[in-house]
DNA sequence: CCTACCGATCGGTAGG
DNA sequence: CCTACCGATCGGTAGG
């Protein structure tokens, strides 16, 4: 196989590389299950199969490790690429497909949203600026095209379209999770299709009186 | 003033009552600022003007104190009553008024949503069942009436209408906060009016091609 | 990357 | 409700 200059064959992972990856994986599990403060370096080391002191050969400290996990796994890093890659011939099709793919991914790992929350509560959202600088430009270019193709209410900018779409998908996953936790019957819960029906067409279709 | 049997004049608060309330207030501040695990009993005692040991005259432990704060301040306890009390002559008016009042209250204390998140991450949502049992019946009765007056997409139950409405309001407050934290210009952000425009009427109004 | 350990801080208790 | 203190656990380091 010819080697493209854009995709050089990476060096085979060294033992150090593999340990580092094992630490990232173990840290992800701990942070997502317990949040930042309740996750212990000892449990992370255990999960990676090393002793606690060994962590500091790979990461400067707990904050550094958390930052690495956030950059690798934050929900926004999964949401934006899925939005851009979604197939479809109309705006409606593309948004529905994107929403389904994103919701499926966020629900596959039911604790994934915890990374978002832990970052905002326990780290005051200090990684969000870096994340959005990386992810926003392409998403914004994409959604500007969509904005022109839809009939958004006055005052909704392309940026607002992105915000409301992401917000709607997050609202779907979040409300389903907390209502399930609260003991609501799964059958009665609205899913991503119902949320997108409302997002695209609204709950009023002619009727306005009460 | 005559004393109604439904509203007996409460006993004047004792010193113990006042200390307990000071503890609840201080605990609310700490939990909302730092989350459950990072809030220390010492800081809470300081905030209430007593020493750490004194807390245990009023609460069995940190969990018990957190549970009391959750029951008193959880966002859901503010959302549901506002929804039921919102004025308006049409479904649209009532939903818009409710959404504005709720969003204003959630944004007045920008950290209030943290109580929701801390409870889900750090306590696995164990108080949600009790909260929703208390709050759900009246909200559901109210929204059933609204459901009949709107033209919701097929598959949206009254319960789903409640879920999507609450989800939309939460999405508004949450996305505004994280985008502001990420450095987005406030002027470009969609607010509760824009989210409700979409919730009521959708982003497509005839246009469907791309 | 391990062993052994540090100081700091935690939630909670005993006794008054 | 305070003083004084407990055992446990934490993040992190020194030295090899």
């Amino acid at each position: 196989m010819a080697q493209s200059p854009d995709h050089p064959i990476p060096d085979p992972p060294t033992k150090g590389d593999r340990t580092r990856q094992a630490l990232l994986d173990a840290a992800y599990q701990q942070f997502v299950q317990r949040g930042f403060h309740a996750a212990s370096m000892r449990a992370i080391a255990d999960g990676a199969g090393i002793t606690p002191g060994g962590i500091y050969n790979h990461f400067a400290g707990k904050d550094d490790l958390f930052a690495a996990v956030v950059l690798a796994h934050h929900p926004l890093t999964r949401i934006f690429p899925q939005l851009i890659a979604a197939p479809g011939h109309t705006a409606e099709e593309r948004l529905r497909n994107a929403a389904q793919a994103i919701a499926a991914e966020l629900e596959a790992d039911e604790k994934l949203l915890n990374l978002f929350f832990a970052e905002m509560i326990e780290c005051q959202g200090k990684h969000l600026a870096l994340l959005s600088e990386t992810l926003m430009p392409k998403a914004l270019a994409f959604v500007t095209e969509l904005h022109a193709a839809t009939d958004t209410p006055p005052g909704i900018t392309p940026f607002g379209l992105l915000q409301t779409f992401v917000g709607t998908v997050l609202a779907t996953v979040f409300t389903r999770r907390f209502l399930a936790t609260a003991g609501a019957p799964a059958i009665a819960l609205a899913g991503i299709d119902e949320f997108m029906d409302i997002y695209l067409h609204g709950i009023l279709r002619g009727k306005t009186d009460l």
Side-chain angles (χ1 to χ4, degrees), chain A:
Chain A
M1 204 194 304
Q3 181 179 344
S4 152
D6 286 345
H7 298 84
I9 293 176
D11 292 334
T14 65
K15 188 160 194 303
D17 289 337
R18 272 181 274 121
T19 300
R20 185 189 153 93
Q21 189 57 49
L23 278 168
L24 280 172
D25 294 343
Y28 169 75
Q29 293 296 336
Q30 288 296 317
F31 286 136
V32 137
Q33 294 260 352
R34 307 183 200 283
F36 178 78
H37 286 99
S40 77
M41 296 298 265
R42 282 160 174 81
I44 293 170
D46 275 357
I50 65 172
T51 53
I55 297 180
Y56 299 88
N57 295 315
H58 299 274
F59 299 96
K62 195 179 185 181
D63 289 285
D64 186 42
L65 183 48
F66 186 69
V69 169
V70 165
L71 288 181
H73 291 285
H74 194 284
L76 289 179
T77 67
R78 311 198 178 187
I79 291 174
F80 285 89
Q82 293 268 27
L83 173 59
I84 295 168
H89 295 95
T90 65
E92 174 158 1
E93 255 184 68
R94 292 169 76 174
L95 287 174
R96 281 190 186 275
N97 285 332
Q100 283 173 354
I102 295 165
E105 187 159 358
L106 295 184
E107 293 198 328
D109 182 355
E110 62 164 339
K111 301 270 189 191
L112 180 56
L113 276 187
N114 288 4
L115 206 58
F116 211 144
F117 303 148
E119 208 273 329
M120 292 199 72
I121 305 178
E122 305 190 284
C123 296
Q124 278 79 41
K126 64 181 167 189
H127 308 97
L128 283 180
L130 175 59
L131 266 180
S132 72
E133 278 167 28
T134 317
L135 300 168
M136 196 64 83
K138 288 171 86 168
L140 205 49
F142 172 81
V143 91
T144 299
E145 183 189 347
L146 272 188
H147 185 262
T150 56
D151 193 10
T152 54
I156 304 271
T157 61
F159 192 92
L161 190 66
L162 184 58
Q163 175 194 355
T164 54
F165 175 79
V166 172
T168 299
V169 177
L170 290 176
T172 306
V173 179
F174 181 74
T175 59
R176 285 177 66 81
R177 178 167 150 205
F178 89 67
L179 287 170
T181 304
I187 186 79
L189 295 185
I192 188 64
D193 289 336
E194 288 78 23
F195 268 87
M196 287 308 291
D197 278 338
I198 292 174
Y199 184 70
L200 294 165
H201 302 293
I203 64 162
L204 303 176
R205 303 175 177 186
K207 281 204 198 180
T208 51
D209 293 338
L210 183 55

